[in-house]
Structures are given as C-alpha cells and as structure tokens.
Amino acid sequence: MDAINQGIYLDYASTSPLLDEVLEATQVLLPQFYANPDSLHTPGSKMAALQQRARKQIAGLLGCQDHEVIFTSGATEANNMAIKGIALANQAKGKHIVTTAIEHKSVMSAITQLVDHFGFECTILPVDAKGNIDLHQLEASLRKDTILVSVMAVNNEIGTVFPIDTITQIVKRYSKAYMHVDYVQALGKIELQLQRVDAASFSGHKIGGLKGSGVLFKGQNVPMLPLLSGGQQENYQRSGTSNAIANITFAKAMRLAIESQPVSYRKATRWKQRIISECKQIEGWACISAEDASPFIISMAYPKVPSQIMLNALDQKGIYVSAISTCSTKSQQVSYVHQAIGLSDDRSRSVIRVSLSSMTKDEDVEAFIQAYKEVIFHGYST
Amino acid sequence: MVTQPNIIVVRFAELSTKGKNRKQFITMLRQNIQEVCKGFPSCKVQQAYDRIYVLVNDENASELMNRLQDVFGIATLSLAYQVPLAINDIIDAAFTLIQKEPVSTFKVITRRMNKQFPLESDEINRAVAKKILQETDFVVDVHKPQVKVLVEIRHHEAYVTVNTIEGAKGYPVKIQGKAMLLMSGGIDSCVASYLSNKRGIEVEAIHFASPPYTSDAAKQKVLDLAKVLTRYQPFIRLHIVPFTDIQMQIAMNVPESYRITVMRRFMVRLAQRLAEQRRCKALITGESVGQVASQTLESMSVINEVTTMPILRPLVSFDKTEIIEIAKKIGTYDISIRPFEDCCTIFTPVAPVTKPLLHKAQRFESKLDIETLIEESLAATEVVMIRYNDAKEEDSFF
C-alpha cells in the first residue's frame, strides 16, 4: 500500500485516485446514508433528495434537463445502454450503424453483438496515422437506414480528439441518425461539445469519483430500450437499486473536473511538450499521439524495449504507466487502435501510454522523463 | 473580442401599466431580480429606461438565465454580447452566436437608437448577414426566420443577441401585497401559489398537520414543495398548524357526511386568523369547481360563510390535466405525488355530502368549542422560513 502511495501514478486514462473532496463527502455519507432512495421513509426521501440534487447539478453542467441524466454503473454500461438501447428501439427505421475504427472496446463489442446476433449492419470508418477520420467518408457512409452514429470525443489509447461539433452537424444534415458520443476521456480534459448530441457517456472514476459511477445523457426524445428492466429507478430506463452515494459524489467530481478543465488543459499541454522535447532526442523514439491530440494522453514507442519490459522497469522505479487500453490487457493481441493507425506489430509491442490529469504534478512528469531515459540508456536492472 | 456572452437583456411584461405604477413595477422587478442575483455574487444589475441589464461577469450565464426565467414581470430575456460601437465587433459577435444554433434560416434585425452611428440599420443588417452567408450554411428568410439576430445600437455600446426566450410574464411578485395560501401538499395548492405569484401576490403558506395520523415525511413533503416554490418568490413563510385535536373533536361530534365540510370551515377560520395577524389581504386555495365533494358550489358557499376575507381560487375552472401540466412545469409535481397521507385524506368519509346545508353545518358545529380549539391550535403553530438560497449541511456533498 505504501509503495503505491509513494510511487508516481501516470495512468489516469485507466482510472484515477479519489479526489480529496470526494473522499471527504464519501466518508460523511457512507455510514449515515444507507437508505434506498426509493423508500418512502425519512432516510429514504432524504437520500432521494440528495440524488435528485446531484442529477440536477449534472444536468446543469451538461446543459440538459434533469430527466435526461441516467445514472449507470460506469461508462461501459452507458455505452452499451446507448448503443444497444437506441439501436433496438429504432430498428424499424433502419439497421445501419456508423462508428470509427478506434472506439473503446465497450462500443466496438456492443456494435459487434448487434451485427452478429440482431442483423444490424455497421460501417467502421478507417482512420489515418493520427487517428482522424475522413469527414467526406463519414458523409458518404450515412444512409437512409442509418439510425445511430457513435464516435468518441477523445481516444483512450492515442488521445486523438474527434471534432464532435462538426461530426454532429454532418450526421444531422445528411441523415436522421442519432448521435452518441463516448465522452469518457474528454470530461475535465477538453471542452465538451454537446450541442445537438443525442446521447453521451461519462465515467466518474476517471475524474476522481468513486468506481461504479457513470452517467448516460440521453435526449428526452430519443427512443431507447432499457437493458436492465425492472423497478422504477432512473425513470424505468435503468432498474436496480440506485448506487446513490456514487451518484451523489459523481456530481461533485464532475463539477470540480469541469471547473478545473481550462487550467489543467494548459498544464497538460506544457507537460506533453516537455515529455516530447526530452524524449525526441532519443534515437528511434517516436510519439504515437498526434500533435493536436489530447495533451492528457501521450502514447510513445521505443522499438528496442518492448512495452511489457518497459512497464516492469518503470514499475520497479515506482512509476506506473500503461501499455495499451487497460480494458484489453489480458488479450495477447496487438492493439486494434494501433493497427487502425497503421502501426507495425513490432512497433505496437513497444508502445507505452502516459496519461495525466489535474492531479499530476510537475515533479511527476520530470521523474517519469528521468526514469524512462535511464531504462533506455542504462538498461532496467536496478 | 469577448468569447462569452456577457450580458442578459431583460424586457418588461404588462407595460400597459403607466405613470406612477410603472415606476413601482420596474423598481419591484429590479429588486426581485437583485434578490435572485444574490445567488450569483459577481453579477450586477443595471436599470435603463425600458430595460434591465444583468451583467454576467464570472457567473454561469445559462444558470442565471434559467433563474431569471422564473422571475415574474419579465416578458423576454436575451443572452447577449455587449460589444464596442464598431461594425467589426458587431459582426464577430453575431457570427460567434449564430454558429451555436442549428443550421437553418435567419434574419438580422437592427434597432439603431444611436443615430450618430455611421451605418444605417439596413447597412448593418447587410454587413452582418454577408459574413453569415459567406461562412455558414444559414440562408436568409425575412418572413419566417428560425433564428433572429438582433443588433441594438445604443449610445455607448451595441448589443448583439441571437435567441430571445420567453420570460415568466405577469407582475413582479409583492407588487400586490400578501395572501395566505392553504397548502395541503397536493398538486393543486402549489399551482395556486405559482399562479398567485404570477399576478404579483406574495404568498404565505399555512399547512395543517395531524400527527401522528400524518407522518414527518408528509411534513417534509410540504417543506420540499415550499422550497420549490421559492423559485418564484425569494422566500416563503410557512405556518404549520396542529390540527389533530380539531379533527378528533369533529370525528366525535359531527356525522360522517358533514365532517369534511366542518373541517374545511375550521381550516378557513384558522387561515383567516393567521392572515389577519400577518396582514394578508386574502386567502388562496387550490380548489377547482367540482373536483371533490368539498369543491361543489354548494360546499364552497357553506365553507366560505365563516370568513369575510376574499378567497382567491386561481384554479377554479382548470381541468385536472391542465393543473398537472403546470405542476410539472413548475417542478412541484414529482414531490406532490409522493404518497403520504395528509390531514384531509385520513378522515375522509365514505360518502361526503356534496350539497351541504349551512344550517346543518352550523348545528353540528354548535357542539364544539370553536374558539378554544382555534386558540389552542394557533398557539401551537410552528413557523418555518424557507429560502431559495439556504445554505445547508449537505452542500458540502456537492
């Protein structure tokens, strides 16, 4: 435990430590506020009032209505709910879905299920070396029977930022499809663009909230079949006893993330430049993340040291980073995101991902640079 | 060039009022807006002859707009850019604003109050439209535009705005003085409060509690409802009147079919006493003709007989569905339908009389010591002040 606390954590794209403010609120809430918010007694209605206030606060931050905020167990559920729920509820209008080649696994797999088992068709837009899609190709892919377009705001492995506003405008102009955006890596990192978006997924634990907290924003006029049916929670759209404390503290985490976003963005931009300017002196080193990608996610490759070895070496020095998407670490294959941007398998196997947040400090970045160079120049034996 | 809209333009409703009344209207409206703005410490309120301006400063503009939409006496509101008197700044502001709208049709409308400005209204219209036409997919429609770009050339600055939204209309709250609302915790009384606010009446509320037949949760429900109603008037004084003894006496002495009638007569008596103490000029109820047994014309007249004070019934001719629609709009519906017993539902007789007779009601009441019962109830009344901006312990969770 101590070792972890003393180390330097640079894997915020996987998850984040709790914000102090969230921890404080949780410590007060957890022992007292155990009631089910749907119970009619005093503790229950108190809980319901707090949860409703959280919903309101989130709606205010996202610029939507209270009832358009659906609490989920996280972004994987939010993505599944939006994609399967909207696709199944609208299949009479068409069965065609458009997405990109570098979406998060939870989006990819949800769509694959729809294609494999429910007769949907999917167009997967290819990306260039920076991870960008061709907007003309997007326009051409839209059909009369396209019912859903799902695009992430920021890629979780290489940080590519998709122009959500422009994409939404194209989707709305050339089709009747609903627009879903996976905002997980954008919340608190870059400015949100929710104008005319029909559904958007958010995760609490990536911004210092509790694990098991997520939100799906879904416009009130968007038909969606609930994945979890049962009780009246979340207006029958997501049944199951509410995880009220996670939901309440998510509102706080989201407020803090959005408030600190402009400042953290400036800091992260500086850190990314710092890392790149130091590392590019190393022969053979390459930054995989594009220049205009999110500064919070820096993917880099040094072909002579395979990722797993680099990870272990940094780990021994108390610096924690990732290789690829943490949701795919158990599969032996190379990352499909790396394949999509045309990275060779060899190169892909040497990629590490450094991810930052508002909690990162200047010293953390410097320590990483020093340790990374040490491993490269002096080997990793301690 | 500013990047955020920085001013809210407030236009007045009901300006058919003239002369001294007009001045009073505007002063009251400004005070009410200032009260709302207390929740947004850095914003400033400025009054001009025919407008009130709210400078947004560091506050969240859309939250502020939402709050101002609840203030009565406002006809329309626009979130605007205040820019220097230079055509390029005006064009830039209009261009930035229109890009936030879904692509559709537009029209530029200029009001040029400052005749010194070198360009004429039409020239300004054309200059602004040119940039929008060249760089966006908007097209002009002068007859039925989806988006109206409004440019106001004033003496020291210009205002550019795209979307004008409807205000709450009506009169500023308090301009008509106070009235006492009989508040059950149901759907109707909240809507009655809202509609009274709309005509400029400040509301105090009276709630009858019958513990242990009604629970704490039922009382909490009324507190929660009052809290929602503070969106429309900055604070509400809520009188919680114990009603158990009176109900027990009624239950023991009055035949079942007349219990509701007699109970309602007691409520009105209590409300009138409190109203007089609190200098309220009228009583307000959420009654709607024919909705329940106590709301037939016959019942109303028997119940009305105990007071000389006017009883306002803003919902008198509303259908239940219309009332529910308003309740949803004002945010009280979800709380109102929480299933707690209130003092009316507990003693509901199987077959209440729909056409009560006054002399019968009076005869049944003669067995009760009306004056003592009322005095005792009033002496034990609890007063709660409910404010919109109450700081609470739970604030630290958010």
Side-chain angles (χ1 to χ4, degrees):
Chain A
M1 185 69 199
D2 278 352
I4 295 175
N5 282 339
Q6 280 161 15
I8 290 168
Y9 187 78
L10 293 172
D11 195 17
Y12 290 95
S14 307
T15 190
S16 157
L18 279 187
L19 283 166
D20 291 342
E21 291 89 341
V22 171
L23 180 60
E24 279 162 29
T26 310
Q27 279 168 338
V28 181
L29 286 164
L30 210 47
Q32 302 179 38
F33 290 81
Y34 49 82
N36 186 332
D38 284 289
S39 296
L40 295 177
H41 43 62
T42 308
S45 44
K46 181 111 204 199
M47 202 78 210
L50 290 178
Q51 186 171 269
Q52 186 53 28
R53 181 164 167 190
R55 192 187 305 280
K56 209 179 180 66
Q57 179 160 322
I58 290 172
L61 291 166
L62 300 180
C64 66
Q65 309 278 324
D66 301 357
H67 58 265
E68 296 177 325
V69 172
I70 303 170
F71 287 117
T72 69
S73 67
T76 289
E77 187 192 334
N79 282 337
N80 270 272
M81 188 192 274
I83 290 167
K84 293 180 198 164
I86 293 176
L88 291 174
N90 293 283
Q91 53 185 326
K93 292 182 218 159
K95 293 187 113 177
H96 181 236
I97 301 171
V98 175
T99 190
T100 80
I102 59 170
E103 292 302 309
H104 188 260
K105 203 89 186 103
S106 61
V107 169
M108 288 292 190
S109 306
I111 294 177
T112 309
Q113 277 187 326
L114 288 170
V115 171
D116 291 350
H117 303 285
F118 296 92
F120 281 80
E121 266 184 274
C122 177
T123 303
I124 298 177
L125 300 169
V127 295
D128 63 15
K130 292 174 164 185
N132 292 318
I133 53 167
D134 179 349
L135 294 177
H136 295 292
Q137 218 167 353
L138 166 69
E139 189 184 317
S141 73
L142 296 169
R143 313 195 310 219
K144 227 177 170 175
D145 61 341
T146 309
I147 47 159
L148 179 68
V149 177
S150 179
V151 178
M152 65 191 350
V154 172
N155 179 267
N156 54 315
E157 291 192 36
I158 54 173
T160 305
V161 179
F162 284 110
I164 294 300
D165 248 358
T166 318
I167 292 174
T168 311
Q169 275 176 28
I170 293 172
V171 169
K172 293 291 163 189
R173 191 189 299 174
Y174 297 104
S175 75
K176 293 198 171 76
Y178 293 112
M179 177 76 187
H180 167 251
V181 182
D182 171 358
Y183 265 112
V184 172
Q185 299 292 350
L187 184 58
K189 309 286 194 312
I190 64 168
E191 219 176 303
L192 301 180
Q193 303 172 333
L194 278 171
Q195 202 111 18
R196 303 184 75 201
V197 166
D198 298 297
S201 312
F202 300 91
S203 163
H205 72 95
K206 309 253 188 205
I207 56 165
L210 293 170
K211 313 286 186 265
S213 59
V215 153
L216 176 68
F217 152 76
K218 182 189 76 72
Q220 56 183 353
N221 298 324
V222 182
M224 185 181 83
L225 192 73
L227 295 190
L228 303 180
S229 35
Q232 64 188 1
Q233 295 88 358
E234 304 302 313
N235 208 5
Y236 293 99
Q237 298 185 98
R238 199 274 184 186
S239 300
T241 303
S242 307
N243 188 3
I245 293 178
N247 299 343
I248 292 163
T249 48
F250 189 7
K252 189 176 202 178
M254 190 185 271
R255 175 177 67 79
L256 293 167
I258 290 179
E259 278 173 4
S260 64
Q261 184 269 326
V263 175
S264 9
Y265 186 85
R266 277 200 296 279
K267 283 192 194 161
T269 309
R270 211 178 62 226
W271 291 324
K272 181 178 175 184
Q273 279 164 0
R274 177 90 189 106
I275 291 173
I276 291 175
S277 73
E278 282 292 320
C279 293
K280 72 178 176 204
Q281 299 156 5
I282 306 167
E283 209 191 313
W285 182 87
C287 186
I288 306 299
S289 302
E291 231 167 84
D292 56 359
S294 161
F296 294 89
I297 294 178
I298 308 148
S299 224
M300 55 184 87
Y302 181 69
K304 286 180 194 157
V305 184
S307 341
Q308 200 50 53
I309 294 175
M310 179 58 84
L311 242 57
N312 291 342
L314 289 173
D315 193 282
Q316 280 178 7
K317 293 175 187 293
I319 292 176
Y320 311 118
V321 301
S322 270
I324 50 165
S325 167
T326 323
C327 292
S328 315
T329 47
K330 303 260 160 77
S331 61
Q332 293 302 312
Q333 287 147 358
V334 296
S335 150
Y336 62 88
V337 175
H338 295 166
Q339 280 179 334
I341 60 170
L343 221 55
S344 68
D345 286 4
D346 264 3
R347 203 152 233 208
S348 176
R349 289 200 180 92
S350 73
V351 169
I352 64 162
R353 177 190 70 182
V354 174
S355 50
L356 316 170
S357 89
S358 58
M359 295 183 211
T360 307
K361 295 190 277 296
D362 284 347
E363 307 92 89
D364 299 350
V365 174
E366 294 307 322
F368 163 76
I369 294 170
Q370 204 196 337
Y372 187 62
K373 281 182 169 174
E374 260 172 42
V375 176
I376 288 175
F377 294 130
H378 308 292
Y380 65 93
S381 59
T382 42
Chain B
M1 178 63 214
V2 283
T3 51
Q4 289 293 323
N6 53 8
I7 193 162
I8 294 171
V9 182
V10 175
R11 301 176 194 84
F12 308 144
E14 300 261 357
L15 265 189
S16 48
T17 45
K18 292 191 185 79
K20 219 175 88 189
N21 290 337
R22 182 180 190 281
K23 205 177 150 198
Q24 217 184 356
F25 178 106
I26 296 170
T27 311
M28 193 56 87
L29 178 59
R30 196 194 62 223
Q31 283 175 7
N32 290 349
I33 291 176
Q34 269 165 340
E35 186 64 40
V36 163
C37 289
K38 279 185 188 163
F40 302 86
S42 76
C43 78
K44 289 267 176 308
V45 182
Q46 283 178 357
Q47 189 183 323
Y49 174 73
D50 58 348
R51 302 284 160 88
I52 288 175
Y53 296 104
V54 181
L55 306 181
V56 177
N57 293 332
D58 298 334
E59 305 299 333
N60 179 331
S62 59
E63 261 178 45
L64 189 51
M65 283 288 268
N66 279 341
R67 279 294 287 132
L68 289 172
Q69 271 183 282
D70 297 332
V71 176
F72 287 112
I74 297 178
T76 59
L77 287 157
S78 320
L79 189 55
Y81 280 98
Q82 184 188 41
V83 294
L85 278 175
I87 186 68
N88 283 334
D89 288 328
I90 293 169
I91 293 174
D92 281 349
F95 182 63
T96 317
L97 279 171
I98 204 162
Q99 281 179 310
K100 296 184 179 174
E101 301 295 316
V103 173
S104 55
T105 56
F106 79 106
K107 174 188 184 179
V108 185
I109 304 162
T110 300
R111 282 178 70 192
R112 180 165 158 268
M113 281 154 249
N114 173 2
K115 302 296 179 201
Q116 311 298 316
F117 192 73
L119 296 177
E120 287 190 2
S121 298
D122 194 49
E123 291 172 315
I124 299 169
N125 290 346
R126 283 168 193 280
V128 172
K130 188 176 161 194
K131 166 103 170 174
I132 296 172
L133 284 170
Q134 277 172 352
E135 301 196 16
T136 69
D137 294 317
F138 278 88
V139 289
V140 173
D141 179 349
V142 289
H143 301 294
K144 280 188 179 167
Q146 300 280 314
V147 178
K148 286 182 192 163
V149 179
L150 304 173
V151 178
E152 270 187 37
I153 308 290
R154 295 180 83 95
H155 291 280
H156 302 291
E157 69 279 305
Y159 295 113
V160 182
T161 179
V162 159
N163 247 340
T164 294
I165 58 169
E166 300 278 308
K169 312 231 163 49
Y171 287 113
V173 170
K174 279 192 204 175
I175 204 160
Q176 298 288 357
K178 272 193 302 190
M180 184 67 72
L181 168 77
L182 281 77
M183 188 168 175
S184 60
I187 298 167
D188 301 350
S189 41
C190 301
V191 176
S193 166
Y194 169 82
L195 292 175
S196 307
N197 281 163
K198 184 169 184 183
R199 299 313 290 170
I201 300 169
E202 184 186 1
V203 170
E204 282 198 22
I206 177 169
H207 175 70
F208 300 97
S210 302
Y213 299 99
T214 59
S215 65
D216 259 6
K219 182 171 141 188
Q220 187 57 44
K221 173 176 162 185
V222 174
L223 293 173
D224 290 349
L225 284 169
K227 181 84 184 170
V228 175
L229 293 174
T230 58
R231 275 167 55 183
Y232 309 100
Q233 75 173 46
F235 65 85
I236 287 181
R237 185 186 285 263
L238 173 65
H239 306 266
I240 298 172
V241 178
F243 205 55
T244 318
D245 287 348
I246 295 177
Q247 276 187 311
M248 298 307 274
Q249 289 293 321
I250 293 172
M252 283 188 284
N253 293 303
V254 177
E256 203 176 328
S257 64
Y258 267 75
R259 280 180 197 163
I260 288 284
T261 312
V262 172
M263 192 179 85
R264 300 289 296 177
R265 281 164 63 91
F266 266 91
M267 288 180 174
V268 171
R269 284 186 183 110
L270 284 160
Q272 182 189 343
R273 290 289 181 89
L274 263 181
E276 281 163 357
Q277 281 174 22
R278 297 291 314 152
R279 303 200 180 153
C280 295
K281 296 173 198 164
L283 304 181
I284 305 169
T285 72
E287 289 165 302
S288 156
V289 173
Q291 201 182 86
V292 289
S294 67
Q295 297 179 16
T296 60
L297 289 179
E298 289 82 357
S299 277
M300 280 188 192
S301 100
V302 172
I303 292 164
N304 228 149
E305 190 263 343
V306 297
T307 182
T308 49
M309 217 175 232
I311 300 185
L312 307 180
R313 297 180 175 89
L315 304 180
V316 78
S317 60
F318 279 54
D319 290 346
K320 195 72 187 180
T321 47
E322 293 168 327
I323 299 171
I324 287 174
E325 207 171 295
I326 302 177
K328 283 183 175 164
K329 190 182 85 178
I330 65 175
T332 55
Y333 182 75
D334 288 338
I335 302 173
S336 288
I337 57 171
R338 280 188 214 156
F340 301 121
E341 301 290 332
D342 68 34
C343 62
C344 297
T345 49
I346 285 173
F347 292 86
T348 308
V350 184
V353 59
T354 52
K355 294 182 179 179
L357 298 169
L358 180 58
H359 67 88
K360 281 195 180 174
Q362 283 169 335
R363 196 175 73 231
F364 297 138
E365 275 175 7
S366 65
K367 295 179 199 159
L368 304 172
D369 183 356
I370 296 173
E371 196 52 34
T372 316
L373 285 170
I374 286 179
E375 290 296 332
E376 281 172 5
S377 245
L378 287 178
T381 294
E382 180 194 351
V383 181
V384 190
M385 290 292 282
I386 296 154
R387 287 172 202 283
Y388 184 81
N389 287 323
D390 267 346
K392 279 193 188 160
E393 177 209 16
E394 68 193 45
D395 288 351
S396 66
F397 303 152
F398 298 91

